[in-house]
PDB file of all heavy atoms in Angstrom:
ATOM      1  N   ARG A 296      -1.911  94.755 -20.342  1.00 97.00           N
ATOM      2  CA  ARG A 296      -1.944  93.332 -20.026  1.00 97.00           C
ATOM      3  C   ARG A 296      -3.230  92.948 -19.292  1.00 97.00           C
ATOM      4  O   ARG A 296      -3.870  91.938 -19.610  1.00 97.00           O
ATOM      5  CB  ARG A 296      -0.736  92.991 -19.157  1.00 97.00           C
ATOM      6  CG  ARG A 296      -0.463  91.496 -18.992  1.00 97.00           C
ATOM      7  CD  ARG A 296       0.677  91.220 -18.045  1.00 97.00           C
ATOM      8  NE  ARG A 296       1.803  92.086 -18.264  1.00 97.00           N
ATOM      9  CZ  ARG A 296       2.718  91.959 -19.255  1.00 97.00           C
ATOM     10  NH1 ARG A 296       2.508  90.981 -20.148  1.00 97.00           N
ATOM     11  NH2 ARG A 296       3.700  92.775 -19.397  1.00 97.00           N
ATOM     12  N   LEU A 297      -3.622  93.773 -18.320  1.00 97.00           N
ATOM     13  CA  LEU A 297      -4.829  93.500 -17.568  1.00 97.00           C
ATOM     14  C   LEU A 297      -6.082  93.589 -18.460  1.00 97.00           C
ATOM     15  O   LEU A 297      -7.020  92.785 -18.329  1.00 97.00           O
ATOM     16  CB  LEU A 297      -4.962  94.460 -16.399  1.00 97.00           C
ATOM     17  CG  LEU A 297      -3.909  94.288 -15.291  1.00 97.00           C
ATOM     18  CD1 LEU A 297      -4.075  95.377 -14.247  1.00 97.00           C
ATOM     19  CD2 LEU A 297      -3.982  92.927 -14.658  1.00 97.00           C
ATOM     20  N   LEU A 298      -6.089  94.526 -19.390  1.00 98.00           N
ATOM     21  CA  LEU A 298      -7.243  94.660 -20.292  1.00 98.00           C
ATOM     22  C   LEU A 298      -7.339  93.418 -21.210  1.00 98.00           C
ATOM     23  O   LEU A 298      -8.433  92.912 -21.494  1.00 98.00           O
ATOM     24  CB  LEU A 298      -7.123  95.916 -21.151  1.00 98.00           C
ATOM     25  CG  LEU A 298      -7.415  97.248 -20.416  1.00 98.00           C
ATOM     26  CD1 LEU A 298      -6.996  98.444 -21.290  1.00 98.00           C
ATOM     27  CD2 LEU A 298      -8.908  97.327 -20.080  1.00 98.00           C
ATOM     28  N   ILE A 299      -6.184  92.938 -21.685  1.00 98.00           N
ATOM     29  CA  ILE A 299      -6.205  91.746 -22.522  1.00 98.00           C
ATOM     30  C   ILE A 299      -6.668  90.516 -21.715  1.00 98.00           C
ATOM     31  O   ILE A 299      -7.481  89.736 -22.178  1.00 98.00           O
ATOM     32  CB  ILE A 299      -4.773  91.492 -23.103  1.00 98.00           C
ATOM     33  CG1 ILE A 299      -4.448  92.568 -24.147  1.00 98.00           C
ATOM     34  CG2 ILE A 299      -4.683  90.086 -23.746  1.00 98.00           C
ATOM     35  CD1 ILE A 299      -2.988  92.543 -24.582  1.00 98.00           C
ATOM     36  N   TYR A 300      -6.138  90.373 -20.516  1.00 96.00           N
ATOM     37  CA  TYR A 300      -6.544  89.269 -19.683  1.00 96.00           C
ATOM     38  C   TYR A 300      -8.023  89.272 -19.415  1.00 96.00           C
ATOM     39  O   TYR A 300      -8.724  88.269 -19.503  1.00 96.00           O
ATOM     40  CB  TYR A 300      -5.801  89.304 -18.340  1.00 96.00           C
ATOM     41  CG  TYR A 300      -4.356  88.810 -18.380  1.00 96.00           C
ATOM     42  CD1 TYR A 300      -3.632  88.756 -19.571  1.00 96.00           C
ATOM     43  CD2 TYR A 300      -3.710  88.406 -17.227  1.00 96.00           C
ATOM     44  CE1 TYR A 300      -2.338  88.348 -19.614  1.00 96.00           C
ATOM     45  CE2 TYR A 300      -2.381  87.979 -17.243  1.00 96.00           C
ATOM     46  CZ  TYR A 300      -1.694  87.933 -18.449  1.00 96.00           C
ATOM     47  OH  TYR A 300      -0.393  87.485 -18.458  1.00 96.00           O
ATOM     48  N   LYS A 301      -8.529  90.462 -19.151  1.00 97.00           N
ATOM     49  CA  LYS A 301      -9.982  90.600 -18.836  1.00 97.00           C
ATOM     50  C   LYS A 301     -10.823  90.237 -20.060  1.00 97.00           C
ATOM     51  O   LYS A 301     -11.801  89.502 -19.955  1.00 97.00           O
ATOM     52  CB  LYS A 301     -10.337  92.016 -18.410  1.00 97.00           C
ATOM     53  CG  LYS A 301     -11.816  92.192 -18.044  1.00 97.00           C
ATOM     54  CD  LYS A 301     -12.124  93.624 -17.605  1.00 97.00           C
ATOM     55  CE  LYS A 301     -13.607  93.747 -17.240  1.00 97.00           C
ATOM     56  NZ  LYS A 301     -13.977  95.146 -16.870  1.00 97.00           N
ATOM     57  N   ALA A 302     -10.403  90.711 -21.234  1.00 97.00           N
ATOM     58  CA  ALA A 302     -11.136  90.402 -22.481  1.00 97.00           C
ATOM     59  C   ALA A 302     -11.119  88.908 -22.769  1.00 97.00           C
ATOM     60  O   ALA A 302     -12.141  88.310 -23.086  1.00 97.00           O
ATOM     61  CB  ALA A 302     -10.568  91.181 -23.634  1.00 97.00           C
ATOM     62  N   ALA A 303      -9.930  88.306 -22.661  1.00 97.00           N
ATOM     63  CA  ALA A 303      -9.781  86.877 -22.943  1.00 97.00           C
ATOM     64  C   ALA A 303     -10.587  86.030 -21.949  1.00 97.00           C
ATOM     65  O   ALA A 303     -11.275  85.083 -22.313  1.00 97.00           O
ATOM     66  CB  ALA A 303      -8.309  86.477 -22.894  1.00 97.00           C
ATOM     67  N   LEU A 304     -10.508  86.367 -20.658  1.00 96.00           N
ATOM     68  CA  LEU A 304     -11.246  85.618 -19.655  1.00 96.00           C
ATOM     69  C   LEU A 304     -12.756  85.764 -19.800  1.00 96.00           C
ATOM     70  O   LEU A 304     -13.519  84.818 -19.574  1.00 96.00           O
ATOM     71  CB  LEU A 304     -10.797  86.037 -18.254  1.00 96.00           C
ATOM     72  CG  LEU A 304      -9.353  85.655 -17.892  1.00 96.00           C
ATOM     73  CD1 LEU A 304      -8.911  86.315 -16.596  1.00 96.00           C
ATOM     74  CD2 LEU A 304      -9.189  84.135 -17.785  1.00 96.00           C
ATOM     75  N   THR A 305     -13.199  86.980 -20.188  1.00 96.00           N
ATOM     76  CA  THR A 305     -14.622  87.186 -20.435  1.00 96.00           C
ATOM     77  C   THR A 305     -15.085  86.338 -21.585  1.00 96.00           C
ATOM     78  O   THR A 305     -16.139  85.731 -21.533  1.00 96.00           O
ATOM     79  CB  THR A 305     -14.911  88.677 -20.690  1.00 96.00           C
ATOM     80  OG1 THR A 305     -14.451  89.468 -19.583  1.00 96.00           O
ATOM     81  CG2 THR A 305     -16.411  88.910 -20.879  1.00 96.00           C
ATOM     82  N   LYS A 306     -14.293  86.284 -22.666  1.00 97.00           N
ATOM     83  CA  LYS A 306     -14.625  85.469 -23.818  1.00 97.00           C
ATOM     84  C   LYS A 306     -14.681  83.987 -23.416  1.00 97.00           C
ATOM     85  O   LYS A 306     -15.598  83.247 -23.796  1.00 97.00           O
ATOM     86  CB  LYS A 306     -13.604  85.636 -24.920  1.00 97.00           C
ATOM     87  CG  LYS A 306     -13.890  84.885 -26.224  1.00 97.00           C
ATOM     88  CD  LYS A 306     -12.883  85.248 -27.276  1.00 97.00           C
ATOM     89  CE  LYS A 306     -13.239  84.661 -28.641  1.00 97.00           C
ATOM     90  NZ  LYS A 306     -12.995  83.191 -28.682  1.00 97.00           N
ATOM     91  N   MET A 307     -13.739  83.551 -22.616  1.00 95.00           N
ATOM     92  CA  MET A 307     -13.665  82.156 -22.215  1.00 95.00           C
ATOM     93  C   MET A 307     -14.843  81.794 -21.307  1.00 95.00           C
ATOM     94  O   MET A 307     -15.263  80.615 -21.276  1.00 95.00           O
ATOM     95  CB  MET A 307     -12.349  81.916 -21.472  1.00 95.00           C
ATOM     96  CG  MET A 307     -11.122  81.899 -22.374  1.00 95.00           C
ATOM     97  SD  MET A 307      -9.563  82.210 -21.526  1.00 95.00           S
ATOM     98  CE  MET A 307      -9.576  80.938 -20.287  1.00 95.00           C
ATOM     99  N   SER A 308     -15.422  82.778 -20.633  1.00 95.00           N
ATOM    100  CA  SER A 308     -16.559  82.504 -19.746  1.00 95.00           C
ATOM    101  C   SER A 308     -17.851  82.284 -20.519  1.00 95.00           C
ATOM    102  O   SER A 308     -18.848  81.873 -19.953  1.00 95.00           O
ATOM    103  CB  SER A 308     -16.741  83.628 -18.732  1.00 95.00           C
ATOM    104  OG  SER A 308     -17.294  84.774 -19.352  1.00 95.00           O
ATOM    105  N   GLY A 309     -17.836  82.678 -21.765  1.00 95.00           N
ATOM    106  CA  GLY A 309     -19.058  82.585 -22.603  1.00 95.00           C
ATOM    107  C   GLY A 309     -19.886  83.834 -22.601  1.00 95.00           C
ATOM    108  O   GLY A 309     -20.922  83.888 -23.254  1.00 95.00           O
ATOM    109  N   ALA A 310     -19.475  84.840 -21.842  1.00 96.00           N
ATOM    110  CA  ALA A 310     -20.238  86.091 -21.777  1.00 96.00           C
ATOM    111  C   ALA A 310     -19.869  86.980 -22.972  1.00 96.00           C
ATOM    112  O   ALA A 310     -18.881  86.753 -23.669  1.00 96.00           O
ATOM    113  CB  ALA A 310     -19.930  86.851 -20.495  1.00 96.00           C
ATOM    114  N   ARG A 311     -20.672  88.007 -23.234  1.00 96.00           N
ATOM    115  CA  ARG A 311     -20.421  88.931 -24.315  1.00 96.00           C
ATOM    116  C   ARG A 311     -19.155  89.717 -23.948  1.00 96.00           C
ATOM    117  O   ARG A 311     -19.035  90.197 -22.842  1.00 96.00           O
ATOM    118  CB  ARG A 311     -21.613  89.873 -24.466  1.00 96.00           C
ATOM    119  CG  ARG A 311     -21.557  90.762 -25.706  1.00 96.00           C
ATOM    120  CD  ARG A 311     -22.890  91.485 -25.927  1.00 96.00           C
ATOM    121  NE  ARG A 311     -22.895  92.272 -27.140  1.00 96.00           N
ATOM    122  CZ  ARG A 311     -22.610  93.579 -27.181  1.00 96.00           C
ATOM    123  NH1 ARG A 311     -22.287  94.215 -26.089  1.00 96.00           N
ATOM    124  NH2 ARG A 311     -22.648  94.240 -28.323  1.00 96.00           N
ATOM    125  N   PHE A 312     -18.249  89.878 -24.900  1.00 97.00           N
ATOM    126  CA  PHE A 312     -16.967  90.455 -24.615  1.00 97.00           C
ATOM    127  C   PHE A 312     -16.598  91.610 -25.577  1.00 97.00           C
ATOM    128  O   PHE A 312     -15.441  92.032 -25.678  1.00 97.00           O
ATOM    129  CB  PHE A 312     -15.854  89.408 -24.634  1.00 97.00           C
ATOM    130  CG  PHE A 312     -15.702  88.726 -25.992  1.00 97.00           C
ATOM    131  CD1 PHE A 312     -14.716  89.115 -26.845  1.00 97.00           C
ATOM    132  CD2 PHE A 312     -16.537  87.685 -26.340  1.00 97.00           C
ATOM    133  CE1 PHE A 312     -14.521  88.506 -28.061  1.00 97.00           C
ATOM    134  CE2 PHE A 312     -16.376  87.061 -27.578  1.00 97.00           C
ATOM    135  CZ  PHE A 312     -15.383  87.489 -28.451  1.00 97.00           C
TER     136      PHE A 312
END
Side-chain angles (χ1 to χ4, degrees):
R296 192 184 316 284
L297 293 176
L298 286 168
I299 291 169
Y300 282 21
K301 182 180 181 182
L304 292 170
T305 303
K306 183 175 187 287
M307 288 158 57
S308 75
R311 189 170 183 267
F312 62 99

